[in-house]
Amino acid sequence: MVGLGQCCWDQVGLVEQWPHPDAKTELLASCEQAGGPVATALVTLARLGVRTAFFGAVGGDEAGRLIRWSLVAEGVDCRLLQVDPEGESQRAWVIADRTTGKRNIFWKRGARRPFHLTDETAELIAAAKVLLLDDLDFDAALAAARAAREAGVTTVLDGGSLRPRTAELLPLIDHLVVSEKFARQWTGRPEPPAALEPLAAFGGTVTVTAGAEGCWSLLAGEVIHQPAFGVDVIDTTGCGDVFHGGYVFGLLQAWPLPAVLAFASACAALKARGLGGQAAIAGLDETLRFLARETGDIRWTTLRITE
Amino acid sequence: MVGLGQCCWDQVGLVEQWPHPDAKTELLASCEQAGGPVATALVTLARLGVRTAFFGAVGGDEAGRLIRWSLVAEGVDCRLLQVDPEGESQRAWVIADRTTGKRNIFWKRGARRPFHLTDETAELIAAAKVLLLDDLDFDAALAAARAAREAGVTTVLDGGSLRPRTAELLPLIDHLVVSEKFARQWTGRPEPPAALEPLAAFGGTVTVTAGAEGCWSLLAGEVIHQPAFGVDVIDTTGCGDVFHGGYVFGLLQAWPLPAVLAFASACAALKARGLGGQAAIAGLDETLRFLARETGDIRWTTLRITE
Ligand SMILES: Nc1ncnc2c1ncn2[C@@H]1O[C@H](COP(=O)(O)OP(=O)(O)OP(=O)(O)O)[C@@H](O)[C@H]1O
Ligand SMILES: Nc1ncnc2c1ncn2[C@@H]1O[C@H](COP(=O)(O)OP(=O)(O)OP(=O)(O)O)[C@@H](O)[C@H]1O
Ligand SMILES: [Mg+2]
Ligand SMILES: [Mg+2]
């Protein structure tokens, strides 16, 4: 599968409790790692054993080198990563609150040439089974979604927040998997299940994730809910990104939607055990054993997995 | 003059407004620079034209190199900076809120050998006119304050927050210049002027700074208040540190306390025009012209300044 979108260098700090403004707070722990919705989803898929290629852009700075090295170390194909030698990479500072499990992300786009679709990228997209997108670099996302649609490649959009031109992209999307915030911005409905129907008007499968509340989806017109799995939460940074990785894994297996959602939720929950968006992402065996244990359904460990 | 205490590598981001927990906020601007109360006070003094030496500790990491280079570039003598090759430097992430001018600091001490007083350091302290201290590395601060007291060197303590052994240090201090938070923690009195009398019991001159409210001090038993100067505030990170630099400058000039407080407040206000603790610190001419203009007292520009 291939992914096109954001990659980022994250510095993550853990605090006992979210401070009032105007405070000085000593961090309990900190770390640095690659992040970004699509990049993190691809790391998830790589750890699950899927061959992945990443399309995105970095600057010629230290953060760009760190992002590339760390994706390559995970086995993500970065040969078509675009490096703007004069440009800056996207960066984020994340403060994770140990008490609530919530995180606050401060990010910086970084001035650099946006990713542009090349012939080589378009060919790889057309040859893939699934294309995962976010829409920060909108022009590239639109061109990629068109190339995918033409070639009959399944498209998945990670909608984090509504952006000015998101609506143009939707007709080219098969699976829309969005955050609560996106659902609220798009539909004006604060409750995720109530947002599903208006969202579904775009034509494909729609899922809204809502943190510890789990996720909601529409299956043959019926609302289905997958609760979040219980883990000892350290940090929920990247849970949504990892959820998307697990969701794409389920699509590649051609599982029914409820199994896709359960699997994606398990991936996301396991991630929350560690600090930062990627450190604690689990491999396939661990995820399936976790699912079998949590659901009491032993079939998770006897599945035949196809590449 | 010499300073012993914290130095830090700061990454500073500006936001339109302080977010609710669990948000994603794009930074309006960001920068990196050296920070830390004593290091920033020394940079202030160096820009004002005072010869300064810094005693503190860094790790053998990139942050440590950046801290050293940037202090050396300001003309601060760093020959007795102690580098722990295996250790980590102190770092901070600062989020500055453009709407309120307040900042939230997340910091990390960094695992490294603390600064320890050497014969050479003690000699330089004994030869100085003023020693500025904070008390994060408590043992070194205590030893330095003793060496200063023995040699008749004026000691100034920057009290940011009350620490377990702060009380041991106070008898060795001539000028206690503390934050509102310290004053509240020490005396239980939420109002800075009400905290002055109990604070003054330690024996020296006491000043409490309270951000945009200005500062309060005791002069011959009377409470005096120096309002903050009005500037277009971008970021108040380091205002307290720069205030201490200006305060020490006033002591070196042997000015009366009200002039010391006015000068220190001007230094701090000018700093607030820029992002980060050090970028906008002004030189002497600019500070004196600002004071003359703001106070209407032309004498600020005709002062004879001694080195
Ligand atoms: N505290 C938690 N415990 C267990 N699982 C969680 C928790 N928080 C999130 N998850 C899982 O991750 C999924 C996605 O989380 P969420 O809705 O917060 O993503 P998001 O808003 O896209 O955030 P981001 O993209 O920043 O990670 C949830 O549906 C849930 O399955
Ligand atoms: N918004 C502001 N405008 C003008 N001057 C300010 C402002 N905020 C602070 N100052 C000046 O700086 C002085 C010190 O500020 P403050 O009391 O916030 O320091 P602090 O609490 O020690 O913070 P820090 O050490 O983190 O900088 C104030 O007394 C005032 O003179
Ligand atoms: Mg998301
Ligand atoms: Mg201070």
Side-chain angles (χ1 to χ4, degrees), chain A residues 136-157:
Chain A
L136 190 66
D137 277 355
F138 185 81
D139 292 325
L142 193 66
R146 285 202 184 111
R149 179 54 58 94
E150 237 165 65
V153 174
T154 302
T155 53
V156 181
L157 177 65

Side-chain angles (χ1 to χ4, degrees), chain B residues 6-26:
Chain B
Q6 295 175 58
C7 58
C8 187
W9 190 248
D10 287 359
Q11 291 178 278
V12 187
L14 185 67
V15 296
E16 189 58 52
Q17 208 164 11
W18 185 242
H20 297 280
D22 213 26
K24 294 187 187 183
T25 309
E26 192 168 356

Side-chain angles (χ1 to χ4, degrees), chain B residues 170-171 173-174 176 198-206:
Chain B
L170 291 191
I173 299 303
D174 299 308
L176 183 60
L199 277 167
F202 89 96
T205 304
V206 59

Side-chain angles (χ1 to χ4, degrees), chain B residues 260-273:
Chain B
V260 172
L261 299 180
F263 185 83
S265 302
C267 292
L270 290 170
K271 188 244 76 82
R273 300 165 305 171

